[in-house]
Each structure stands twice: as structure tokens, then as C-alpha cells.
Amino acid sequence: DFDNQVIFYWFELMDIADNSVTNKPIQLEVDTIPSIIKSFTTMKHENHLMIEIEIIEENFYAVEYIDSSATKPKWRTLCSSLSNNICNKRITLSLGQHDIIIKVSDKAGNSAIRNIEILI
């Protein structure tokens, strides 16, 4: 109900003696819509994977990926900013099968995910 609106919130703490304290109201823009991946292309060249993603998102935060086939999988950042709504990056992969999850997220924590499987 509050998507794309500005809301104010605050906290009030009260003890058993009815003493209370309230913080200053905080303004927050509400975003409940996940990012939209408009286009997603990959191109393999030797042990490199070129990734180009066109994203529609007003409150863009980052594009991250994880290779779940890696020995120690961990989230890595592909892009922390966009150029004309495009994230364009090259990643280096070892030989073998890779199961990669790409996650596009906004500042509110909403995300869109794409999975790719590739053999290097």
C-alpha cells in the first residue's frame, strides 16, 4: 500500500513506571518492487565470461554473483553502479562446470535473480 511513498517512523520506549523516550521521526521512501532484468546476455571466451545486464531500477544497489560450484563459494560484486542502466563485466573462471547465481538488488533489499550454468 505504501510503495513509492514517503513514510515516517519512530520508536518509543516505556518502562514499568510509565517513563518514556521517543526518537526523532525518520523519513523513509518505501520500495517494495524487485529490480527488473530487462536483458541478460553472456559470452564465453576461453576462461572468461562476459556478462551484460540491462536493469530497470530507480534505487539500484548492486549486481552480485556466486559460483556455487566453487570450492569456497562467496558472493562477489559485479557492479555497484550502472552506466545507462547497464552492468557490463568480465569474470574469470577455472576450467570445469560452473553454476552461477546473479542477483540484482536495490537499496531496500528487493532482488531479482538469474541462474546460469556454463562449462569452461
Side-chain angles (χ1 to χ4, degrees):
D1 290 344
F2 296 102
D3 192 45
N4 287 329
Q5 295 183 28
V6 175
I7 63 170
F8 291 88
Y9 72 95
W10 59 92
F11 298 96
E12 181 177 4
L13 297 174
M14 185 177 298
D15 63 17
I16 60 173
D18 278 339
N19 297 314
S20 66
V21 62
T22 304
N23 72 313
K24 187 176 175 181
I26 298 169
Q27 181 177 324
L28 177 71
E29 293 179 37
V30 179
D31 179 0
T32 61
I33 307 296
S35 303
I36 297 172
I37 298 173
K38 187 173 180 181
S39 67
F40 182 89
T41 57
T42 60
M43 184 184 306
K44 181 173 67 166
H45 179 67
E46 296 176 356
N47 67 331
H48 301 295
L49 182 64
M50 299 295 295
I51 300 171
E52 183 175 289
I53 308 167
E54 185 176 0
I55 300 162
I56 299 173
E57 176 58 63
E58 282 185 36
N59 302 307
F60 175 78
Y61 178 69
V63 178
E64 300 170 296
Y65 76 98
I66 188 169
D67 182 355
S68 58
S69 303
T71 307
K72 294 181 180 180
K74 71 176 191 174
W75 285 101
R76 299 177 186 273
T77 302
L78 274 179
C79 298
S80 57
S81 63
L82 301 175
S83 177
N84 295 322
N85 296 327
I86 303 282
C87 169
N88 194 349
K89 211 61 159 183
R90 179 180 87 164
I91 59 175
T92 303
L93 300 169
S94 61
L95 295 177
Q97 180 70 32
H98 296 274
D99 298 313
I100 299 172
I101 301 169
I102 307 283
K103 178 172 69 170
V104 178
S105 51
D106 66 15
K107 294 176 183 173
N110 303 308
S111 62
I113 292 179
R114 287 286 173 96
N115 298 315
I116 55 175
E117 294 180 8
I118 190 158
L119 180 63
I120 299 291

